[in-house]
Amino acid sequence: YLCCQDLIGAQSTSSDAFVCAGVASDSLYGVAEAFWKPDLEPEELARVCGTAFLAALERDCLSGYGAIVLLMTPDSIVEYELACRND
């Protein structure tokens, strides 16, 4: 069971595989549905998340200028900082 909430507490439970929320959630869903598949390796999952974030940021100027992907495994936490256009 997956669930996410926006800033006012509205819940989103539209998928058993992943959830997206926020201003650019439509763009996030489109890319996530295209690239996500079951049993991704951790690095592949981080790459898919990064691709979805950057695609959504490029399509929605109100979403910001970058993102941070945290890859958490039982052994480590790896942080990927994604830069986006700044115009």
Side-chain angles (χ1 to χ4, degrees):
Y1 176 77
L2 293 173
C3 176
C4 69
Q5 295 180 329
D6 64 12
L7 292 175
I8 62 171
Q11 294 183 354
S12 172
T13 58
S14 59
S15 172
D16 291 334
F18 55 84
V19 292
C20 302
V23 175
S25 62
D26 291 340
S27 297
L28 286 168
Y29 270 114
V31 175
E33 288 173 341
F35 289 104
W36 184 88
K37 59 185 177 189
D39 302 320
L40 287 171
E41 292 295 321
E43 291 77 20
E44 290 177 303
L45 179 59
R47 188 170 37 255
V48 168
C49 291
T51 302
F53 291 146
L54 290 177
L57 291 172
E58 290 289 327
R59 294 188 54 86
D60 187 349
C61 65
L62 298 177
S63 293
Y65 293 121
I68 296 173
V69 176
L70 293 173
L71 177 60
M72 295 181 269
T73 64
D75 302 324
S76 65
I77 299 174
V78 180
E79 181 178 305
Y80 300 96
E81 188 170 338
L82 308 175
C84 195
R85 66 182 216 196
N86 290 322
D87 57 352

